[in-house]
Amino acid sequence: MAIAKIKHIFKKYPILANSVVYGTLYTGAEFSQQTYTKKIAPATGVPAPYDLTAMGRYGILGLGLYPQVYYFWYRWLDGKYVGTATLTIVKKMALDQFVLTPPLIASFYLFMSIMEQKQDVFEECRNKLLPTFMTSCVFWLPAQGINFLFIPPAARVVYVGSCAFIWVNVICWFKRQDYSKTKED
């Protein structure tokens, strides 16, 4: 009964349903990162309060940007490349990783920098885009292979949202790293 109701909601309101699930998982990843870095293993040894503003920024991207992009991207991708033949899966994986992923990673750093009101909104993107992208290849290529081979099209955004929970924990870690270039005097 509950599964039938959930399927009905996803069929009737696919963008909204996908946005809620994806946004919850995306924000939940930042919550899990903060739980670890602020409560379980704080750098100072003293637990710190949660940064709800930071969680809100993840919520904005997780609810308002990425699920809509993924929804229309997978509709297009599944319509253009139908089936589960090896070559079809490889094409989908290559397009997803090398066409969609770089702008999504760049938009993550740019939008976060804008929301954080940083002076140079491009600095973090310049410094972290390449290492983040290289790590994303290791994570997302196998995840997308599973997605395109076994996951039905209607469940793609939820599957990617579930993987994104893990991935956003990784990208949260990258976000907290200092990759700034130091000038030698």
Side-chain angles (χ1 to χ4, degrees):
M1 178 98 163
I3 292 177
K5 218 174 216 183
I6 291 169
K7 282 183 179 181
H8 173 73
I9 290 169
F10 271 87
K11 191 170 190 155
K12 189 169 182 173
Y13 308 103
I15 296 173
L16 179 62
N18 281 302
S19 294
V20 169
V21 171
Y22 191 91
T24 300
L25 291 166
Y26 206 81
T27 307
E30 171 62 7
F31 175 78
S32 72
Q33 277 292 300
Q34 287 192 33
T35 298
Y36 180 75
T37 61
K38 294 179 178 286
K39 303 293 183 184
I40 297 171
T44 62
V46 178
Y50 286 104
D51 182 349
L52 299 179
T53 304
M55 278 191 247
R57 288 190 290 268
Y58 282 87
I60 289 169
L61 293 178
L63 287 165
L65 176 65
Y66 296 126
Q68 292 80 8
V69 169
Y70 284 130
Y71 177 79
F72 290 107
W73 172 254
Y74 291 131
R75 273 185 55 187
W76 175 81
L77 205 58
D78 288 332
K80 180 90 173 146
Y81 302 98
V82 179
T84 57
T86 303
L87 186 57
T88 301
I89 300 297
V90 169
K91 286 178 185 176
K92 286 181 173 183
M93 289 170 56
L95 285 169
D96 192 75
Q97 187 62 41
F98 298 104
V99 174
L100 182 67
T101 298
L104 287 181
I105 293 171
S107 70
F108 170 80
Y109 287 121
L110 291 173
F111 285 128
M112 284 297 202
S113 292
I114 290 167
M115 289 187 285
E116 292 168 350
Q117 301 177 343
K118 291 187 175 178
Q119 289 290 93
D120 181 355
V121 296
F122 298 102
E123 179 183 21
E124 192 169 39
C125 186
R126 276 192 306 270
N127 295 332
K128 297 179 180 178
L129 180 63
L130 186 57
T132 305
F133 176 73
M134 291 175 13
T135 303
S136 80
C137 289
V138 173
F139 178 82
W140 281 111
L141 285 171
Q144 291 296 43
I146 292 167
N147 185 17
F148 298 132
L149 191 57
F150 299 114
I151 306 300
R156 291 209 197 285
V157 175
V158 172
Y159 169 79
V160 168
S162 300
C163 291
F165 177 81
I166 298 164
W167 171 247
V168 175
N169 272 284
V170 172
I171 206 166
C172 289
W173 180 84
F174 272 105
K175 179 104 178 79
R176 287 178 173 80
Q177 302 309 302
D178 183 8
Y179 281 83
S180 61
K181 310 258 187 219
T182 57
K183 294 180 183 175
E184 292 186 32
D185 294 318

